[in-house]
Amino acid sequence: MDRPRHRLDKVSKLPAVEVPDPGQSYNPTFADHQNLMLKAHLIEAEKEEAKAKINRKVEDMIKNVAGLPTEENWMAEMCQGLGDEDDNDADSGIAEEDKDLKLDRGSRDHMKAKTRKQRRKAKLIKMEKNKLKEAKEKVQKEQNIFRVKSIGKEIAAEEKRHKEAAERRAKRKEMKAYQPLFLGPHKFEPQPIEINLSKEISGSLRRVRAEGDLITDRFKSLQKRNIMEPRKLRMPKKVKVKKYERNSHKMSHP
């Protein structure tokens, strides 16, 4: 059995250890720190916008619920026209009988056999249609001879379109190697940006305030590089301990 050729292919082209942003240094420049603050602000703004969008949809749903029909309105709508049924029974019966008679006549006319004259006429009409079709195809072939240059241009344009589509597919495939895939039921959630505020920057490595967690960073890196499927933290359930007294340990009361 041959080994698969893709056994040595990397599932992601992302580095195992990413280079941190210059603004995350213990003594960053003002511009680097402000750029990192702007990135964190944009991420939080997107989250707030998503929450606001969900809230707007929920409010619209609540408003629509207020306009739904009540039980009384539903009963009134269902009871409309019930008193006129007796008057319309006779008319509806006559209309149905007339309809059945028309259908019966139409079916009998359709079942009549064609005469020899009608068959000969239908055959001539079919032959004329075939002749017209052959004539159109012949004219089309003759016109295509004079359209050699335009046909060549159309073929070149089609080949160019196919080439551009292949390049776009290759580009998407290349970009896919730098993105996390859907390997499980959960979507990958990137780790929040580790950042210190301006007043928390000390400028000294001894007094630097540590942000983030090394284990979480490695765990997220494995998920981002498609080595591990994204997971959600699940806390262990507390097991309720059952307490009971044995007969041998029960206290005897007088």
Side-chain angles (χ1 to χ4, degrees):
M1 183 176 178
D2 296 334
R3 295 181 180 179
R5 296 180 180 179
H6 62 276
R7 69 186 188 281
L8 299 177
D9 294 347
K10 292 186 176 180
V11 292
S12 177
K13 292 186 178 181
L14 290 171
V17 180
E18 296 183 6
V19 180
D21 193 276
Q24 293 177 328
S25 174
Y26 70 94
N27 190 19
T29 62
F30 180 76
D32 292 338
H33 187 259
Q34 290 300 311
N35 290 334
L36 185 64
M37 292 280 286
L38 180 61
K39 289 180 183 178
H41 170 72
L42 292 176
I43 292 172
E44 293 299 324
E46 287 181 2
K47 292 180 181 178
E48 292 296 328
E49 180 63 26
K51 290 180 181 178
K53 187 177 180 180
I54 293 172
N55 292 334
R56 286 195 298 269
K57 288 184 177 180
V58 172
E59 290 176 0
D60 294 339
M61 291 173 64
I62 293 172
K63 290 179 182 178
N64 294 332
V65 168
L68 291 176
T70 59
E71 188 176 354
E72 296 178 358
N73 296 338
W74 182 81
M75 285 296 296
E77 290 179 2
M78 294 297 105
C79 294
Q80 285 182 359
L82 292 178
D84 301 333
E85 286 185 357
D86 298 335
D87 300 335
N88 297 331
D89 284 342
D91 297 336
S92 62
I94 295 170
E96 287 179 0
E97 289 178 1
D98 294 341
K99 188 176 180 181
D100 293 338
L101 288 172
K102 289 179 181 179
L103 290 173
D104 189 20
R105 290 173 184 172
S107 61
R108 279 186 290 178
D109 294 339
H110 181 70
M111 292 298 291
K112 287 182 180 179
K114 290 184 178 180
T115 62
R116 187 179 297 176
K117 184 179 179 180
Q118 289 175 341
R119 290 197 298 270
R120 186 170 61 252
K121 187 177 179 181
K123 187 177 180 180
L124 290 173
I125 291 171
K126 188 176 181 181
M127 290 173 66
E128 288 294 330
K129 286 183 178 180
N130 291 335
K131 286 181 181 179
L132 288 173
K133 187 178 180 181
E134 291 175 359
K136 285 182 180 180
E137 290 177 355
K138 186 177 179 181
V139 171
Q140 187 67 29
K141 289 179 181 178
E142 291 176 355
Q143 289 179 354
N144 289 339
I145 296 173
F146 301 101
R147 290 182 63 250
V148 174
K149 290 185 179 180
S150 60
I151 291 172
K153 290 181 180 179
E154 290 176 2
I155 293 172
E158 189 69 21
E159 290 178 352
K160 184 179 179 182
R161 232 179 356 257
H162 284 301
K163 187 177 179 181
E164 290 176 353
E167 290 176 356
R168 286 196 298 270
R169 286 195 297 270
K171 190 175 181 180
R172 284 198 298 268
K173 187 177 180 181
E174 183 70 20
M175 291 176 62
K176 202 173 181 180
Y178 293 93
Q179 296 175 353
L181 304 176
F182 287 94
L183 303 178
H186 303 297
K187 186 180 178 181
F188 173 75
E189 296 180 0
Q191 191 176 2
I193 295 178
E194 301 170 0
I195 184 172
N196 287 326
L197 300 177
S198 300
K199 60 183 180 181
E200 296 173 350
I201 298 174
S202 60
S204 174
L205 193 60
R206 292 183 177 181
R207 291 179 295 174
V208 67
R209 181 179 175 181
E211 292 286 342
D213 183 13
L214 184 60
I215 296 177
T216 306
D217 180 72
R218 293 295 85 208
F219 194 73
K220 288 289 184 181
S221 177
L222 291 173
Q223 293 180 355
K224 192 174 183 180
R225 288 182 288 140
N226 302 320
I227 298 174
M228 179 189 296
E229 74 278 5
R231 303 176 183 179
K232 285 190 176 181
L233 181 62
R234 289 186 178 181
M235 301 302 293
K237 295 182 180 179
K238 292 183 178 180
V239 181
K240 188 176 181 181
V241 181
K242 294 182 179 180
K243 297 181 179 180
Y244 58 92
E245 293 183 1
R246 294 183 180 178
N247 293 330
S248 59
H249 291 277
K250 282 186 179 179
M251 295 180 64
S252 58
H253 297 281

